Amino acid sequence: MSLLIAPSILAADFANLQTEVEMLNSSSADYIHVDIMDGVFVPNISFGIPVTQAIKKHAEKPLDVHLMIVEPDRYLEAFRDAGADIISVHYEACPHLHRSLQAIKALGAKAGVAINPHTSIDLLKDVIQDIDLVCMMSVNPGFGGQKFIENTYDKIARLKDLILSKGASTKIEIDGGVNIQNAPKLIEAGADVLVAGSFVFNSPQPIETIKELKSIKTR
Ligand code: DX5
Ligand code: ZN
C-alpha cells in the first residue's frame, strides 16, 4: 500500500480557506483532514458543519473528518451531508462504537475510529474488522502544533499485528506532531496515512513539503 498524506486544514489560514483548499488540490495530498472540536470532548473549539461544507465546495480530494466531539452519533448525517468521505469518531466518546460504525457506513462514508494516546489498541480487538481506518492520536487531541508522543511507534506495530491477525484491511492513520523526522519511522512501524498540520502549513512551500512526505520510501 502506498503512503497517503492528509494535511490538516486546522493549520491553514482560515481567512483564505478557498486558496488553501486549492493549494491542497494542486498538491500530492490524498485526503484533506478536517478537525472538528466541540470544546467539551477536547478543550478547544475549531469549526463545524458550515465550514466543512465550504471546504467541500472547493475540495477535489476526499474529506477525512475527525470528530473530536461528544455524542458524535447526533451529527454523523450532518457531516456526511456536508461532504465527509471518511468520518472518524473517538473510541472514548462512543459507548456503542459498533453501532456508530454501522451508522457511518449506512450513510455511505468510510468509518474511522480515533483513539487517544492512553487508549489501548487491545480495546479494538472485537471491532477491528468493522473499521476502515484507525486514527491513532500521537498527541492529546485539541490543538495543532504539539509535540509527538514517542510511545506511538510501539502502538502502531501492535495495531498492525492485530489487523493482520484478523485479516482486516483497516488503514492506520497517525495524527499529531508528524514531521519529516518522525515520518520514516512511522511508516516503518506500519502507518498507512500521515496527518500533518503545522509541518505542512507553516513550511515555506507547503506543496513541496507534501511531496517530500509523500515520497518517503522505507518499504
Ligand atoms: C489534533 C488534531 C490534529 C492536528 C494535527 O487535535 O486532531 O489533526 O491538527 O496538527 P499537527 O500536525 O500540527 O500536530
Ligand atoms: Zn485530527
Side-chain angles (χ1 to χ4, degrees):
M1 203 181 328
S2 79
L3 176 70
L4 306 179
I5 304 298
S8 168
I9 203 84
L10 184 69
D13 176 0
F14 288 174
N16 291 293
L17 260 188
Q18 180 176 346
T19 316
E20 298 282 53
V21 172
E22 284 168 353
M23 179 278 287
L24 295 178
N25 288 342
S26 68
S27 77
S28 48
D30 297 279
Y31 303 149
I32 300 178
H33 187 81
V34 178
D35 285 309
I36 309 296
M37 304 177 181
D38 67 353
V40 180
F41 181 73
V42 288
N44 194 13
I45 299 175
S46 57
F47 53 81
I49 295 152
V51 174
T52 305
Q53 258 165 351
I55 294 167
K56 186 69 177 183
K57 199 168 138 199
H58 302 287
E60 290 165 7
K61 317 255 178 179
L63 296 194
D64 169 31
V65 175
H66 177 193
L67 296 181
M68 286 164 273
I69 65 175
V70 295
E71 299 184 38
D73 294 1
R74 293 171 58 194
Y75 299 100
L76 297 175
E77 194 170 353
F79 278 103
R80 176 63 177 153
D81 289 347
D85 297 281
I86 304 166
I87 301 177
S88 294
V89 292
H90 261 268
Y91 175 88
E92 303 81 7
C94 294
H96 304 285
L97 183 62
H98 185 268
R99 182 184 291 156
S100 303
L101 294 170
Q102 300 307 314
I104 295 170
K105 289 181 185 173
L107 293 166
K110 296 272 185 215
V113 176
I115 56 170
N116 280 341
H118 75 277
T119 300
S120 169
I121 57 112
D122 295 343
L123 296 165
L124 301 178
K125 207 169 65 185
D126 292 302
V127 79
I128 195 72
Q129 273 145 316
D130 299 295
I131 305 176
D132 294 309
L133 174 142
V134 171
C135 176
M136 187 185 289
M137 296 309 302
S138 40
V139 298
N140 285 295
F143 303 92
Q146 301 182 83
K147 191 172 175 287
F148 177 82
I149 297 171
E150 297 286 323
N151 182 52
T152 308
Y153 303 115
D154 185 47
K155 237 176 138 176
I156 297 172
R158 281 183 283 122
L159 178 55
K160 191 82 194 175
D161 285 348
L162 173 64
I163 292 168
L164 292 175
S165 75
K166 298 274 184 175
S169 52
T170 315
K171 284 190 171 75
I172 303 177
E173 174 177 73
I174 307 304
D175 187 8
V178 171
N179 57 39
I180 201 77
Q181 278 79 40
N182 55 24
K185 220 172 142 187
L186 292 169
I187 301 162
E188 196 85 51
D192 304 299
V193 187
L194 299 181
V195 174
S198 41
F199 184 68
V200 165
F201 285 94
N202 295 348
S203 75
Q205 293 191 56
I207 292 182
E208 273 305 305
T209 305
I210 294 166
K211 199 163 130 195
E212 265 180 65
L213 285 170
K214 178 88 185 160
S215 56
I216 297 171
K217 291 214 184 355
T218 61
R219 44 179 174 149

Short mmCIF file of all heavy atoms in Angstrom, two decimals, residues 154-177:
data_model
loop_
_atom_site.label_atom_id
_atom_site.label_comp_id
_atom_site.label_asym_id
_atom_site.label_seq_id
_atom_site.Cartn_x
_atom_site.Cartn_y
_atom_site.Cartn_z
N ASP A 154 5.47 1.99 18.97
CA ASP A 154 5.18 0.68 19.52
C ASP A 154 3.69 0.33 19.34
O ASP A 154 3.32 -0.80 19.00
CB ASP A 154 5.57 0.75 21.01
CG ASP A 154 5.42 -0.58 21.68
OD1 ASP A 154 5.89 -1.57 21.08
OD2 ASP A 154 4.81 -0.65 22.77
N LYS A 155 2.87 1.36 19.54
CA LYS A 155 1.42 1.17 19.40
C LYS A 155 1.04 0.82 17.95
O LYS A 155 0.17 0.00 17.71
CB LYS A 155 0.73 2.47 19.81
CG LYS A 155 -0.27 2.32 20.92
CD LYS A 155 -0.83 3.65 21.32
CE LYS A 155 -2.32 3.53 21.54
NZ LYS A 155 -2.92 4.79 22.02
N ILE A 156 1.71 1.47 17.01
CA ILE A 156 1.43 1.19 15.58
C ILE A 156 1.75 -0.28 15.29
O ILE A 156 0.96 -0.98 14.65
CB ILE A 156 2.29 2.07 14.64
CG1 ILE A 156 1.98 3.55 14.82
CG2 ILE A 156 2.08 1.66 13.18
CD1 ILE A 156 2.92 4.48 14.07
N ALA A 157 2.89 -0.72 15.76
CA ALA A 157 3.31 -2.10 15.48
C ALA A 157 2.29 -3.08 16.04
O ALA A 157 1.94 -4.07 15.39
CB ALA A 157 4.70 -2.33 16.06
N ARG A 158 1.80 -2.79 17.26
CA ARG A 158 0.82 -3.69 17.87
C ARG A 158 -0.52 -3.67 17.12
O ARG A 158 -1.17 -4.69 16.94
CB ARG A 158 0.63 -3.37 19.35
CG ARG A 158 1.79 -3.93 20.19
CD ARG A 158 1.60 -3.70 21.67
NE ARG A 158 1.92 -2.32 22.03
CZ ARG A 158 1.08 -1.48 22.63
NH1 ARG A 158 -0.14 -1.87 22.95
NH2 ARG A 158 1.46 -0.26 22.94
N LEU A 159 -0.90 -2.48 16.66
CA LEU A 159 -2.15 -2.38 15.88
C LEU A 159 -2.01 -3.12 14.55
O LEU A 159 -2.93 -3.81 14.11
CB LEU A 159 -2.52 -0.90 15.64
CG LEU A 159 -3.77 -0.64 14.80
CD1 LEU A 159 -5.00 -1.34 15.35
CD2 LEU A 159 -4.04 0.86 14.67
N LYS A 160 -0.85 -2.98 13.93
CA LYS A 160 -0.60 -3.68 12.66
C LYS A 160 -0.76 -5.19 12.86
O LYS A 160 -1.39 -5.87 12.05
CB LYS A 160 0.82 -3.34 12.17
CG LYS A 160 1.10 -3.77 10.77
CD LYS A 160 0.55 -2.75 9.79
CE LYS A 160 0.49 -3.23 8.38
NZ LYS A 160 -0.17 -2.25 7.50
N ASP A 161 -0.16 -5.72 13.94
CA ASP A 161 -0.28 -7.15 14.24
C ASP A 161 -1.74 -7.57 14.38
O ASP A 161 -2.16 -8.60 13.86
CB ASP A 161 0.44 -7.49 15.55
CG ASP A 161 1.96 -7.50 15.37
OD1 ASP A 161 2.41 -7.48 14.21
OD2 ASP A 161 2.67 -7.51 16.40
N LEU A 162 -2.50 -6.73 15.10
CA LEU A 162 -3.92 -7.04 15.32
C LEU A 162 -4.66 -7.09 13.98
O LEU A 162 -5.42 -8.03 13.71
CB LEU A 162 -4.55 -5.98 16.24
CG LEU A 162 -6.07 -6.08 16.43
CD1 LEU A 162 -6.46 -7.37 17.12
CD2 LEU A 162 -6.60 -4.88 17.24
N ILE A 163 -4.41 -6.08 13.12
CA ILE A 163 -5.09 -6.01 11.82
C ILE A 163 -4.75 -7.26 10.99
O ILE A 163 -5.65 -7.90 10.43
CB ILE A 163 -4.68 -4.72 11.08
CG1 ILE A 163 -5.26 -3.50 11.81
CG2 ILE A 163 -5.13 -4.74 9.62
CD1 ILE A 163 -4.69 -2.16 11.36
N LEU A 164 -3.48 -7.61 10.96
CA LEU A 164 -3.05 -8.78 10.17
C LEU A 164 -3.64 -10.06 10.74
O LEU A 164 -4.11 -10.93 10.00
CB LEU A 164 -1.52 -8.85 10.10
CG LEU A 164 -0.84 -7.73 9.29
CD1 LEU A 164 0.68 -7.84 9.40
CD2 LEU A 164 -1.27 -7.74 7.83
N SER A 165 -3.62 -10.18 12.08
CA SER A 165 -4.11 -11.42 12.69
C SER A 165 -5.60 -11.63 12.44
O SER A 165 -6.08 -12.75 12.43
CB SER A 165 -3.83 -11.43 14.20
OG SER A 165 -4.73 -10.56 14.86
N LYS A 166 -6.33 -10.55 12.21
CA LYS A 166 -7.78 -10.67 11.96
C LYS A 166 -8.09 -10.65 10.46
O LYS A 166 -9.26 -10.66 10.07
CB LYS A 166 -8.53 -9.52 12.64
CG LYS A 166 -8.41 -9.49 14.15
CD LYS A 166 -9.46 -10.38 14.80
CE LYS A 166 -9.39 -10.25 16.32
NZ LYS A 166 -10.45 -10.98 16.98
N GLY A 167 -7.06 -10.52 9.64
CA GLY A 167 -7.28 -10.45 8.19
C GLY A 167 -8.08 -9.21 7.78
O GLY A 167 -8.79 -9.22 6.78
N ALA A 168 -7.97 -8.15 8.55
CA ALA A 168 -8.73 -6.92 8.26
C ALA A 168 -7.94 -6.03 7.29
O ALA A 168 -6.74 -6.22 7.09
CB ALA A 168 -9.00 -6.16 9.56
N SER A 169 -8.65 -5.07 6.67
CA SER A 169 -7.96 -4.19 5.73
C SER A 169 -7.92 -2.75 6.25
O SER A 169 -7.80 -1.79 5.47
CB SER A 169 -8.62 -4.26 4.36
OG SER A 169 -10.01 -4.03 4.51
N THR A 170 -8.03 -2.61 7.56
CA THR A 170 -8.02 -1.31 8.23
C THR A 170 -6.74 -0.53 7.95
O THR A 170 -5.65 -1.08 8.04
CB THR A 170 -8.12 -1.56 9.75
OG1 THR A 170 -9.11 -2.56 9.99
CG2 THR A 170 -8.44 -0.29 10.52
N LYS A 171 -6.89 0.75 7.64
CA LYS A 171 -5.71 1.61 7.46
C LYS A 171 -5.32 2.24 8.81
O LYS A 171 -6.19 2.56 9.62
CB LYS A 171 -6.04 2.76 6.51
CG LYS A 171 -6.10 2.38 5.04
CD LYS A 171 -6.20 3.68 4.22
CE LYS A 171 -6.05 3.43 2.74
NZ LYS A 171 -7.25 2.83 2.13
N ILE A 172 -4.03 2.43 8.99
CA ILE A 172 -3.54 3.09 10.21
C ILE A 172 -3.14 4.51 9.87
O ILE A 172 -2.25 4.74 9.06
CB ILE A 172 -2.33 2.34 10.81
CG1 ILE A 172 -2.69 0.88 11.09
CG2 ILE A 172 -1.83 3.05 12.06
CD1 ILE A 172 -1.53 0.04 11.63
N GLU A 173 -3.83 5.47 10.50
CA GLU A 173 -3.54 6.90 10.29
C GLU A 173 -2.91 7.47 11.56
O GLU A 173 -3.39 7.18 12.66
CB GLU A 173 -4.84 7.63 9.96
CG GLU A 173 -4.72 9.14 9.86
CD GLU A 173 -6.04 9.81 9.46
OE1 GLU A 173 -6.97 9.88 10.31
OE2 GLU A 173 -6.15 10.26 8.31
N ILE A 174 -1.87 8.25 11.40
CA ILE A 174 -1.21 8.85 12.56
C ILE A 174 -1.46 10.35 12.56
O ILE A 174 -1.24 11.02 11.55
CB ILE A 174 0.32 8.56 12.53
CG1 ILE A 174 0.58 7.06 12.39
CG2 ILE A 174 0.99 9.13 13.79
CD1 ILE A 174 -0.08 6.19 13.45
N ASP A 175 -1.92 10.84 13.72
CA ASP A 175 -2.38 12.23 13.79
C ASP A 175 -1.77 12.97 14.97
O ASP A 175 -2.09 12.67 16.12
CB ASP A 175 -3.92 12.22 13.90
CG ASP A 175 -4.52 13.60 13.79
OD1 ASP A 175 -3.78 14.56 13.49
OD2 ASP A 175 -5.75 13.72 14.01
N GLY A 176 -0.90 13.93 14.66
CA GLY A 176 -0.35 14.82 15.68
C GLY A 176 1.16 14.82 15.71
O GLY A 176 1.79 13.78 15.90
N GLY A 177 1.73 15.99 15.47
CA GLY A 177 3.18 16.14 15.60
C GLY A 177 3.99 15.41 14.54
O GLY A 177 5.18 15.16 14.72
#
